[in-house]
Amino acid sequence: MKIVAIANQKGGVGKTTTAVNLGAALAEMGKRILLVDLDPQANATSSFGLQDIEGISLYEPLLGGSSITEKIFPTRREGLFIVPADLDLAGAEVEIARMPNHLTRLAETLKPLHTDETFDFVFLDCPPSLGILMSNALAAANELLTPIQCEYFALEGLVKIVRLIEKVLDSGANERLELGGIVMTMFDARTNLSQQVVADVRKHFGERVYETVIPRSVRLSEAPSFGKSILEYAPSGPAAQAYRALAKEFLKRHASPASDVATVKTHSPENRET
Ligand SMILES: Nc1ncnc2c1ncn2[C@@H]1O[C@H](COP(=O)(O)OP(=O)(O)OP(=O)(O)O)[C@@H](O)[C@H]1O
Ligand SMILES: [Mg+2]
């Protein structure tokens, strides 16, 4: 079981959309996926129509009140499960901060999942902030999957993420964290900017950037309001095809553990040759 934090401190770059639809595409390919909604905004949760239920988030497990296994819900897609979020999670930020081991609470909470081997991958849909929940995700994850919007400041954002990973490594909270992959999202083939940004990010981050690029698609933004992933909402459109291709690539990268994912330091822009 691999724990993948879908993270970028920047808001609105496609973290939740990628968590939901990559998760759905992997489930379609027969993998068992647990999506953990770590964002008090609960966007991933409402993407599955689970938003109106109280007391079903990771809040209690994080504070030691119950086990994560009691908070796992099936979705309409076989093989795809979710631990929902609710507003209580915002309170967890404050309460966890007061606890001992406040950076490793999530890692502890996820431990039971390692022993029963139910899931192939756990996706942590992170909030767009550098708060306690995001730090906990970085401390618990094997790797980061970072969606980046095809826009002008993409590289600046990535540099920040690389620094953040280095900080986590240095702190000792997690010694194995890697930047596993970068997914370019909201690509608009009609604009030079999109093409330029993808080329730049590839130049600096090389193979770490997924070949598959997610196109800008109105369908992708509509699907959550129907409680559906793109695979149910517009199964044969370009966005669904893109997330299927991303899932294929993701599995290829994870076929031989740790072989394709180099350590973060070797590819950071600071070390690049110019
Ligand atoms: N490829 C895409 N094409 C068009 N719209 C998209 C695409 N990906 C995401 N969106 C839309 O952009 C908005 C932000 O996407 P999303 O919620 O996935 O980002 P996020 O990084 O999770 O945001 P936050 O930081 O607030 O959690 C949403 O309205 C979503 O539907
Ligand atoms: Mg989100």
Side-chain angles (χ1 to χ4, degrees), residues 175-190:
E175 285 158 11
R176 56 184 184 177
L177 184 65
E178 294 169 353
L179 179 52
I182 296 164
V183 186
M184 306 297 303
T185 65
M186 304 185 215
F187 179 81
D188 187 344
R190 295 165 307 177

Side-chain angles (χ1 to χ4, degrees), residues 3-26:
I3 302 175
V4 181
I6 304 196
N8 185 337
Q9 76 284 351
K10 191 150 192 244
V13 296
K15 293 182 289 294
T16 301
T17 304
T18 297
V20 167
N21 293 301
L22 176 60
L26 286 167

Side-chain angles (χ1 to χ4, degrees), residues 6 8-19 21 39 41 43-44 47 125-129 147 149 184-187 214-224 239 243:
I6 304 196
N8 185 337
Q9 76 284 351
K10 191 150 192 244
V13 296
K15 293 182 289 294
T16 301
T17 304
T18 297
N21 293 301
D39 187 347
Q41 294 181 95
N43 293 148
S47 302
D125 183 25
C126 295
S129 68
Q149 201 178 332
M184 306 297 303
T185 65
M186 304 185 215
F187 179 81
I214 308 300
R216 186 171 279 284
S217 148
V218 176
R219 296 285 191 207
L220 270 177
S221 51
E222 290 169 349
Y243 273 108

Side-chain angles (χ1 to χ4, degrees), residues 163-202:
R163 294 219 181 96
L164 191 64
I165 294 176
E166 283 167 355
K167 233 164 115 184
V168 174
L169 292 173
D170 290 346
S171 77
N174 182 352
E175 285 158 11
R176 56 184 184 177
L177 184 65
E178 294 169 353
L179 179 52
I182 296 164
V183 186
M184 306 297 303
T185 65
M186 304 185 215
F187 179 81
D188 187 344
R190 295 165 307 177
T191 68
N192 285 336
L193 179 64
S194 268
Q195 320 238 14
Q196 188 62 47
V197 170
V198 171
D200 277 357
V201 172
R202 284 201 199 287

